[in-house]
Amino acid sequence: MHRLQERFSKLIQEVSTDYHRYMYNKIDWNNRMIGLTGPRGVGKTMLILQYIKENLPREISLYVTAEDFYFADHRLLDLADSFVKQGGKYLFIDEIHRYKDWSKELKLMYDYHPGLQIVFTGSSVLDIHKGVSDLSRRTSMYHMQGLSFREYLNMFHGYDFRSYALDEILNLKLEFPSDFRPLQYFSGYLRQGYYPFPKNNYENQLLQIVNVTIESDIPQYAGMNVSTARKLKQLLAVISKSVPFKPNISSLASVLNVSRNSIADYCLYIEEAGMIAQLRDDTGGIRGLGKVDKIYLDNTNLIYALGREDSDIGNIRETYFFNQLRVNHDIVTSSVADFMVGDFTFEVGGRKKGLKQIEGIENTYIVKDDIEFGYGNIVPLWSFGFNY
């Protein structure tokens, strides 16, 4: 316990509170048990350390990571028991997916210690609703994505822009200083802006995230062996070379030498882990139940890191639009354009994108790259990065 406290103290001293992510004020921190999931590398650890530093008494708070060697011969439940006996009231557990039987022990901690608040973070592949012991009824769950274009500008370039609702973006209501030039920063964000990493070693850090996610996080959660985990990497490589990828399940199953059903499962795992995004139709009625129409890499940074010289500008544009809007909206495929969000239809393209394809269709917008300002139903692509 003493060693854990020492590590926690060091982390608290070093964490910066200069900037808060969009999720910081969305979480109801008064709940007894809070779960925060999201892809690796998006800043979950920094967010909870910031909250502790700014809001909680150090002497009754404790942050640990389930990856710590301490848990090789100690249980989480035993840690909680000892912590409460010493007067502890706020326990934060990072990377909970690294701990076997995490949901069972969290339930016991919740039931045994009614005066203890528990906050945990985990990989996106954690499906809390399938956790044992009805943990979902006890937990307030939140999901966090990477930096929006707005957050990137605020965090790395010193701005203080607010977020805008979709109707404000579509009605061109965004307000900026007269000297602000969004395109000056946009290409930098597309390449190295989605993850809050230092820029001097960005691509290496991103590739390390990909490897750990594919080789460790998903296999551990899904109970895969080494050879199956290798197939996940093969699948991601196939997708990254041909995005947006029109899924041919039979062809993929043949290439990877697995069953058709396994391909659908693999894609879902990779999607939940934040490596790909699957664009579905609206036949399911709610998110996640429709038929998959296209598969994208999750964000544009992954395109540049994995696709390299094969990166296609049309795919980059569509990926950015999909990635930024999905945080607050359900996005489905359109029969006449690229995307639909509610009653709105969107066609994404470059500066010269024409209107012919969507003539006569109501509530339709042309989303154009390489323009600073919009007019009528033409909206700049970059502006959708102010959605959160």
Side-chain angles (χ1 to χ4, degrees):
M1 175 76 79
H2 179 70
R3 181 165 54 84
L4 294 176
Q5 291 282 11
E6 284 186 335
R7 291 183 180 179
F8 172 41
S9 294
K10 186 174 186 296
L11 287 171
I12 283 293
Q13 290 174 0
E14 295 175 349
V15 70
S16 169
T17 57
D18 292 342
Y19 182 76
H20 292 146
R21 292 294 316 281
Y22 77 101
M23 186 56 69
Y24 188 92
N25 291 317
K26 287 191 173 186
I27 295 174
D28 182 353
W29 295 100
N30 294 316
N31 290 317
R32 273 193 60 202
M33 183 176 286
I34 298 168
L36 177 62
T37 63
R40 275 188 173 270
V42 297
K44 302 185 296 297
T45 301
M46 176 174 284
L47 185 146
I48 62 173
L49 288 173
Q50 287 177 329
Y51 175 76
I52 298 169
K53 186 172 185 174
E54 294 178 314
N55 297 278
L56 300 179
R58 168 65 186 86
E59 63 274 11
I60 57 174
S61 307
L62 177 63
Y63 163 92
V64 299
T65 172
E67 293 181 303
D68 197 294
F69 191 70
Y70 174 88
F71 294 106
D73 55 3
H74 294 82
R75 294 200 305 162
L76 273 174
L77 182 59
D78 295 333
L79 172 67
D81 291 342
S82 298
F83 181 55
V84 170
K85 288 175 182 177
Q86 297 174 20
K89 293 186 179 299
Y90 304 98
L91 179 59
F92 294 77
I93 308 163
D94 208 359
E95 303 290 346
I96 193 72
H97 60 280
R98 289 296 194 177
Y99 187 88
K100 187 178 180 181
D101 295 329
W102 56 271
S103 57
K104 179 181 178 181
E105 293 206 28
L106 286 180
K107 175 194 176 292
L108 294 175
M109 291 159 60
Y110 182 96
D111 292 344
Y112 292 169
H113 302 294
L116 178 67
Q117 185 191 50
I118 303 163
V119 179
F120 64 90
T121 76
S123 166
S124 301
V125 297
L126 286 183
D127 187 346
I128 197 68
H129 299 292
K130 292 181 181 178
V132 298
S133 307
D134 294 326
L135 185 60
S136 59
R137 294 188 292 104
R138 294 167 169 81
T139 309
S140 297
M141 292 299 301
Y142 298 88
H143 187 77
M144 183 171 163
Q145 296 287 3
L147 296 173
S148 66
F149 182 43
R150 177 191 73 87
E151 290 185 300
Y152 166 77
L153 291 168
N154 290 351
M155 187 171 185
F156 292 106
H157 296 284
Y159 288 100
D160 188 25
F161 296 135
R162 72 173 180 90
S163 59
Y164 289 83
L166 180 58
D167 64 329
E168 293 179 294
I169 295 173
L170 298 182
N171 288 300
L172 310 175
K173 298 296 186 181
L174 281 66
E175 297 180 355
F176 303 105
S178 58
D179 61 347
F180 174 61
R181 294 291 178 262
L183 298 182
Q184 176 184 350
Y185 307 102
F186 192 48
S187 62
Y189 170 81
L190 295 177
R191 287 181 176 273
Q192 296 188 347
Y194 187 68
Y195 300 90
F197 300 156
K199 296 298 178 281
N200 58 345
N201 194 32
Y202 194 95
E203 185 170 311
N204 286 338
Q205 286 184 274
L206 179 50
L207 292 176
Q208 184 178 6
I209 291 290
V210 173
N211 287 331
V212 173
T213 299
I214 297 297
E215 296 175 358
S216 179
D217 288 348
I218 297 176
Q220 181 174 344
Y221 171 76
M224 296 177 176
N225 58 34
V226 175
S227 62
T228 307
R230 194 175 297 118
K231 293 184 186 299
L232 287 179
K233 204 164 189 178
Q234 283 182 268
L235 177 59
L236 183 62
V238 170
I239 292 172
S240 66
K241 292 177 181 177
S242 52
V243 287
F245 184 76
K246 283 276 190 180
N248 184 322
I249 302 300
S250 297
S251 177
L252 283 173
S254 177
V255 170
L256 271 64
N257 193 28
V258 297
S259 70
R260 287 171 51 89
N261 290 339
S262 292
I263 292 295
D265 290 341
Y266 293 173
C267 285
L268 185 59
Y269 288 140
I270 297 174
E271 179 181 34
E272 290 297 321
M275 295 291 104
I276 64 172
Q278 299 187 90
L279 180 65
R280 297 169 170 86
D281 63 25
D282 61 357
T283 56
I286 60 174
R287 179 184 299 180
L289 295 183
K291 179 183 177 183
V292 176
D293 182 69
K294 291 180 183 178
I295 301 177
Y296 295 85
L297 288 178
D298 180 80
N299 59 78
T300 59
N301 292 186
L302 286 173
I303 295 176
Y304 283 107
L306 300 178
R308 299 182 183 276
E309 69 277 0
D310 298 324
S311 302
D312 175 75
I313 187 60
N315 170 48
I316 291 168
R317 291 164 177 158
E318 291 182 29
T319 300
Y320 170 80
F321 180 88
F322 189 13
N323 171 268
Q324 298 288 283
L325 271 193
R326 68 177 182 189
V327 170
N328 292 324
H329 302 278
D330 291 340
I331 305 179
V332 296
T333 186
S334 167
S335 60
V336 295
D338 291 319
F339 304 100
M340 285 195 69
V341 179
D343 295 328
F344 300 117
T345 300
F346 298 93
E347 179 68 15
V348 180
R351 176 191 292 270
K352 297 181 180 179
K353 188 70 177 182
L355 301 174
K356 184 175 181 180
Q357 183 175 340
I358 59 170
E359 282 182 346
I361 303 173
E362 294 184 358
N363 297 323
T364 303
Y365 294 86
I366 295 291
V367 180
K368 288 192 176 186
D369 193 10
D370 300 321
I371 63 170
E372 280 196 0
F373 307 104
Y375 51 92
N377 67 337
I378 296 174
V379 186
L381 176 63
W382 62 262
S383 65
F384 291 91
F386 283 73
N387 178 57
Y388 72 95

